[in-house]
Amino acid sequence: MQTNNSFSFHRLMLLFKQKLIINKRRYPLALAAFSGSLIISFVFAQTINNFGNWSNMHYVTTFISVFVIVGIAYSAFSFPPFRSKEKSMVYLMLPATNSEKFVFEILSRIVAFIVLMPILYWILANLEGAVFHYYFPELTNYKFSFRDGFLAIVKDGKFEFWALILTLQGILFMFIAPFAGAGYFSKSPLVKTLLTFSIIMLSYFLFAFLLDKSLNLEGLHPVGKNLIFFKDGQTVIKLMGIGMVIVNLSLLAIAWFSLKEKEA
Amino acid sequence: MIQIKDLHFAYPRQEVLFSNLSVRLEAGSITGLLGKNGAGKTSLLKLLTGLLHPISGELSVMDHQPRKREVSLLNDVFMVPEEFFFPSISIRDYVKAYTPFYPRFDHELLDRILIEFELGNERKLQRLSHGQKKKFLIAFAMATRCRLLVLDEPTNGLDIPSKALFRKILAGSLDEDQLVVISTHQVKDVENLIDKIIILDNGEVIFHQTIQEISQKVAFISGTSEEREAAIYSEAVPGGYRLMVPNGYEETEVDIELLFNAITNGHKIG
């Protein structure tokens, strides 16, 4: 029988099944611990706000903080077998293609988090709100909705295409950067990834500063405009959007080649 | 099954381990890979299984390049490493999680070997001793029915009865289309099991012969200091000497340890 050496959906499903069997005790515990922590955080924050001053915006702010922090931490633990040589050996010799293992990691680490985390948050926020409203009637704004969050992206009822692209790519970057770092670095991937990006950003700003000073670019400002080289803000957002797409694709390529060339 | 030609390999920022390594192995044998510490036995096994990538040269396993880690090769190759990892699950769950990836997996054989090794299906892998974990891994490896089985120090950590069981199971469970490569320092554990010996030294294959060929050329006997004169190689043992002598005496079992010492000390057996 001819074996498919490119990509098999069946083997991808086997990877999911394997993950579920191995973690069948750990996942419910992690879910319970996360839900419990989140509910305690809501109660704590609502107590500080004296219940009555709690609003939907507080839920959104909390959501963004949790989404970013937990998301980065969760993505930074992608490719968990790479943390030890023994686990790496088992993982690399498992009969599934690199593309299946790569897609599995993206789906289980990034896509699953982005899809499931807001749903879980929405359920827990409304559940906690309803329960606490019963005991503390002064908690009047207890029904959480993501609508306000989306309204911040949509302007005048219309999608600003490149602003949306930039926002989405920015969100994806937060997950893809630690994901690539977890594939590239074996030990302490999150710390090393943050350090790497800090060095890149500092180098960039230093370079831009020196360029600005040495070429005296300040003199190029058109009268009454803050933008150099570009006609308007839309062009800047468009270029930044394209730039973020390229950066994210490059980071995914780094993660892919790290997996493909990984040795143990 | 395995063809290596002019293989060149070095770890990053380290001296060259293999330069122009060449060897060829066919299915239907249990090959012992011997060598001093640091000779590159484990590295060679990892190169065969795609866990390390050669710098240059030809390396082919079942007409695949292991570094590509194609599924058609991976589901026909299983390695039992010296140090290994098991998730914190039961044997039953491990079998459920891993066997679907091996199309030739033989559940009956696994059950039979587990019974012989006295390992129950419900036992948690993390709660087993190192030796018990190794026995499970060997049993799993055998049951995959992979055509290439690579065992790195398989008897390390096994108790004496388990070593005998290991030999019995390995010898009795193999098909003719399978090749087993065993790297070990415990040569006594694999005597009467392996049918081919490869000795690695300084990154080269300095010896590669079947047990039959060795038996035809030399004999291994105990003797006195007078008989020592005629020996190719000798070692003092309590009460006399162990001698490797040209054949002409009765056919003897191959003393792999004596043979290894003779070869690595520069002696040849023709």
Side-chain angles (χ1 to χ4, degrees), chain B residues 63-79:
Chain B
D63 298 323
H64 290 79
Q65 287 179 45
R67 69 166 296 154
K68 288 185 180 172
R69 294 199 278 257
E70 289 171 314
V71 174
S72 47
L73 177 66
L74 290 177
N75 60 24
D76 235 350
V77 175
F78 197 92
M79 181 175 181

Side-chain angles (χ1 to χ4, degrees), chain B residues 26-46:
Chain B
E26 296 301 335
S29 92
I30 302 176
T31 300
L33 181 64
L34 312 178
K36 295 175 188 168
N37 291 330
K41 302 183 295 295
T42 301
S43 302
L44 181 57
L45 299 186
K46 287 184 174 181

Side-chain angles (χ1 to χ4, degrees), chain B residues 165-176:
Chain B
L165 258 178
F166 163 72
R167 283 193 292 268
K168 186 186 133 195
I169 289 165
L170 192 62
S173 313
L174 289 176
D175 294 331
E176 278 191 5

Side-chain angles (χ1 to χ4, degrees), chain A residues 95-156:
Chain A
T97 62
N98 288 326
S99 48
E100 287 150 12
K101 290 173 185 172
F102 189 74
V103 169
F104 171 76
E105 284 296 318
I106 289 183
L107 291 177
S108 64
R109 289 281 158 180
I110 299 179
V111 177
F113 184 83
I114 290 175
V115 173
L116 297 178
M117 165 66 190
I119 296 172
L120 181 66
Y121 187 91
W122 183 85
I123 293 169
L124 290 172
N126 284 299
L127 188 71
E128 186 272 347
V131 171
F132 271 73
H133 169 69
Y134 182 77
Y135 292 105
F136 301 93
E138 59 268 38
L139 180 69
T140 47
N141 292 313
Y142 62 90
K143 286 180 183 166
F144 168 59
S145 141
F146 276 111
R147 195 167 161 267
D148 288 350
F150 289 123
L151 282 176
I153 301 168
V154 184
K155 205 191 274 180
D156 303 328

Side-chain angles (χ1 to χ4, degrees), chain A residues 197-213:
Chain A
F197 278 98
S198 304
I199 291 169
I200 291 170
M201 292 306 285
L202 280 174
S203 306
Y204 169 75
F205 284 121
L206 184 66
F207 175 73
F209 175 76
L210 292 175
L211 198 70
D212 182 59
K213 289 293 168 196

Side-chain angles (χ1 to χ4, degrees), chain B residues 23 95 115 120 135 175 186 190 232 246:
Chain B
V23 70
V95 171
I115 290 168
K135 284 194 278 188
D175 294 331
Q186 320 286 331
V190 292
I232 299 169

Side-chain angles (χ1 to χ4, degrees), chain B residues 177-233:
Chain B
D177 67 345
Q178 286 181 291
L179 168 66
V180 182
V181 181
I182 302 176
S183 160
T184 185
H185 291 110
Q186 320 286 331
V187 287
K188 293 281 175 203
D189 295 342
V190 292
E191 269 177 1
N192 305 321
L193 178 67
I194 55 178
D195 51 24
K196 195 178 273 183
I197 295 175
I198 293 176
I199 299 178
L200 275 181
D201 198 30
N202 289 323
E204 283 178 34
V205 173
I206 59 166
F207 185 84
H208 182 185
Q209 292 191 23
T210 63
I211 293 290
Q212 201 180 0
E213 285 169 338
I214 298 164
S215 301
Q216 283 167 1
K217 290 171 189 166
V218 289
F220 299 85
I221 57 169
S222 297
T224 59
S225 55
E226 287 81 48
E227 287 171 300
R228 197 181 154 203
E229 300 298 319
I232 299 169
Y233 180 76

Side-chain angles (χ1 to χ4, degrees), chain A residues 13-213:
Chain A
M13 288 301 108
L14 286 180
L15 287 173
F16 276 104
K17 186 182 163 196
Q18 185 193 57
K19 195 82 170 175
L20 287 173
I21 293 171
I22 291 171
N23 294 294
K24 67 179 182 185
R25 290 222 168 81
R26 195 173 298 155
Y27 282 158
L29 281 175
L31 189 67
F34 178 72
S35 305
S37 311
L38 208 54
I39 287 172
I40 290 168
S41 309
F42 288 144
V43 175
F44 185 69
Q46 286 163 355
T47 313
I48 289 173
N49 285 282
N50 207 13
F51 292 108
N53 295 322
W54 181 258
S55 73
N56 197 55
M57 204 54 218
H58 287 103
Y59 275 125
V60 174
T61 314
T62 314
F63 171 75
I64 291 168
S65 314
V66 173
F67 189 71
V68 170
I69 295 166
V70 178
I72 288 174
Y74 187 63
S75 304
F77 284 96
S78 301
F79 303 104
F82 288 1
R83 306 289 90 79
S84 88
K85 193 167 262 189
E86 290 78 22
K87 288 182 190 175
S88 294
M89 286 166 75
V90 177
Y91 180 70
L92 294 175
M93 288 205 65
L94 188 73
T97 62
N98 288 326
S99 48
E100 287 150 12
K101 290 173 185 172
F102 189 74
V103 169
F104 171 76
E105 284 296 318
I106 289 183
L107 291 177
S108 64
R109 289 281 158 180
I110 299 179
V111 177
F113 184 83
I114 290 175
V115 173
L116 297 178
M117 165 66 190
I119 296 172
L120 181 66
Y121 187 91
W122 183 85
I123 293 169
L124 290 172
N126 284 299
L127 188 71
E128 186 272 347
V131 171
F132 271 73
H133 169 69
Y134 182 77
Y135 292 105
F136 301 93
E138 59 268 38
L139 180 69
T140 47
N141 292 313
Y142 62 90
K143 286 180 183 166
F144 168 59
S145 141
F146 276 111
R147 195 167 161 267
D148 288 350
F150 289 123
L151 282 176
I153 301 168
V154 184
K155 205 191 274 180
D156 303 328
K158 286 181 186 171
F159 282 103
E160 296 286 342
F161 181 75
W162 284 107
L164 186 67
I165 292 289
L166 182 58
T167 310
L168 288 176
Q169 291 302 320
I171 292 168
L172 283 176
F173 174 80
M174 287 187 314
F175 298 100
I176 293 174
F179 177 79
Y184 190 79
F185 300 113
S186 296
K187 304 286 177 196
S188 311
L190 182 57
V191 176
K192 286 178 182 168
T193 306
L194 289 174
L195 197 66
T196 306
F197 278 98
S198 304
I199 291 169
I200 291 170
M201 292 306 285
L202 280 174
S203 306
Y204 169 75
F205 284 121
L206 184 66
F207 175 73
F209 175 76
L210 292 175
L211 198 70
D212 182 59
K213 289 293 168 196

